[in-house]
């Protein structure tokens, strides 16, 4: 299990893998520390779950022949670790992307991203597949739906459409398959045949679904 | 939401109700304190989630016309709060049952129970429905299946069958419907038509299922 950040939607699933499920948990030292000091994650028993600290830019063989490498992307601290004012777009390793490679094939997984910086562009360029943050279709979607008071940007997510959209920001970077992941339940691209879905597909993007398998 | 104890399988679902879901959370002060001091549960924002401390024996109107009353049952502290040796069977309020009543109709819900004490008997007696801890069918079932090293009793649960079983302990108490809940995935009563299921049903018990509705 590679934990890309400490937010609730990225770490709660670990609790479902308690109590005697052997696994290796890879994360930055910062994320491991935050989980380590939170007592409920102690149900992942030390004798069953090996914690492996990975550092930005380090190439780790996670499975035989499969390498992972994490890199910082613009983001923010997890919601439950926010204190006072929050800086959005920091590239300090609290939000990361992952490059997964087998032989010469490379997929890039970025579940949260506040901006496509030059370093993000460099990571994505030439990948065989890009799985990218598709949380919201429009930045104010949750406010419009009456289910929240935050914009996507306040949560550290670029919108798929509109000014400063991820589709536009990523349009001129060469990649193989492009797939939106990490979709909020307000996102209209989840509805097959919706205008927003068709518009997204017309720009060359796929929409991820539960149980999706990717063969490269 | 009435939280009957602080164990992972009873509190993790709260994280799925973040971030802007208004609700009232009822629990003992001890459970509220344990959750309150654990930072990840802070995603249940104070302005959306009202914490209500309930005490043993206190009758609380949780919904208009629906009253709940909690009572201590023999149990233990949650796994993630265990320190050193653990006393099984303490009746200190760390594990509770709930009586839910509407008018003269009463259901009793006990998801974890280490023993049927006299006080538990008194709570159950005459209920229209009893939903009771059915974690394991046999005490050593998880060890036999190779998925764990603990007996049911070590986890604070009576087995459905065998010496000191819940079926035997509850046999002479008058109740309406009797339903086993909180079933571990190793429990053979989950398999329709299994010998263990038939034996359980023959003793007058039903097996709960996802989405079960109870009309009394």
């Amino acid at each position: 299990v590679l934990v890309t950040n400490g937010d609730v939607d990225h770490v709660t699933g670990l609790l479902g893998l308690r109590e005697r499920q052997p696994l290796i948990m890879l994360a930055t030292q910062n994320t491991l520390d935050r989980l380590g000091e939170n007592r409920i994650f102690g149900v992942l028993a030390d004798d069953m779950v090996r914690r492996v600290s990975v550092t930005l830019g380090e190439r780790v063989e996670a499975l035989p022949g499969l390498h992972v490498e994490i890199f910082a992307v613009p983001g923010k601290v997890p919601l439950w670790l926010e204190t006072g004012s929050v800086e959005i777009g920091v590239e300090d390793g609290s939000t990361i992307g992952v490059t997964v490679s087998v032989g010469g094939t490379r997929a890039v997984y970025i579940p949260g991203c506040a901006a496509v910086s030059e370093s993000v562009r460099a990571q994505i360029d030439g990948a065989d597949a890009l799985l990218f943050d598709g949380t919201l279709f429009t930045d104010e979607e949750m406010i419009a739906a009456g289910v929240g008071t935050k914009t996507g940007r306040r949560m550290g997510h670029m919108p798929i459409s509109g000014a400063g959209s991820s589709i536009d920001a990523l349009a001129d970077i060469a990649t193989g398959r492009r797939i939106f992941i990490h979709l909020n339940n307000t996102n209209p691209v989840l509805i097959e045949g919706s205008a927003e879905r068709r518009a997204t597909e017309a720009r060359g993007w796929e929409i991820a679904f539960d149980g999706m398998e990717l063969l490269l």
Side-chain angles (χ1 to χ4, degrees), chain A residues 129-150:
Chain A
L130 168 63
L131 296 93
F132 196 83
D133 177 359
T135 307
L136 301 186
F137 188 74
T138 49
D139 195 38
E140 305 208 335
E141 175 180 309
M142 283 173 53
I143 301 168
V147 297
T149 57
K150 289 178 183 171

Side-chain angles (χ1 to χ4, degrees), chain A residues 64-200:
Chain A
L66 182 146
H67 290 81
V68 295
E69 181 178 327
I70 62 170
F71 53 89
V73 304
K76 68 172 198 67
V77 297
L79 171 64
W80 61 284
L81 296 171
E82 286 185 7
T83 51
S85 68
V86 175
E87 194 180 350
I88 309 290
V90 290
E91 212 160 334
D92 62 357
S94 54
T95 306
I96 61 174
V98 187
T99 295
V100 181
S101 50
V102 177
T105 304
R106 179 164 61 97
V108 176
Y109 174 85
I110 305 177
C113 194
V116 177
S117 63
E118 279 310 307
S119 62
V120 170
R121 296 179 67 90
Q123 292 288 351
I124 294 172
D125 190 45
D128 298 283
L130 168 63
L131 296 93
F132 196 83
D133 177 359
T135 307
L136 301 186
F137 188 74
T138 49
D139 195 38
E140 305 208 335
E141 175 180 309
M142 283 173 53
I143 301 168
V147 297
T149 57
K150 289 178 183 171
T151 63
R153 287 198 168 82
R154 172 60 185 81
M155 301 188 296
H157 300 292
M158 307 172 72
I160 289 179
S161 69
S165 74
S166 52
I167 284 191
D168 286 345
L170 295 164
D172 67 341
I173 308 178
T175 68
R177 292 172 64 174
R178 294 158 185 249
I179 303 162
F180 279 120
I181 54 167
H182 196 274
L183 304 152
N184 194 57
N185 57 10
T186 52
N187 194 323
V189 301
L190 287 168
I191 302 167
E192 286 182 44
S194 70
E196 295 87 349
R197 172 107 165 208
R198 289 199 308 271
T200 304

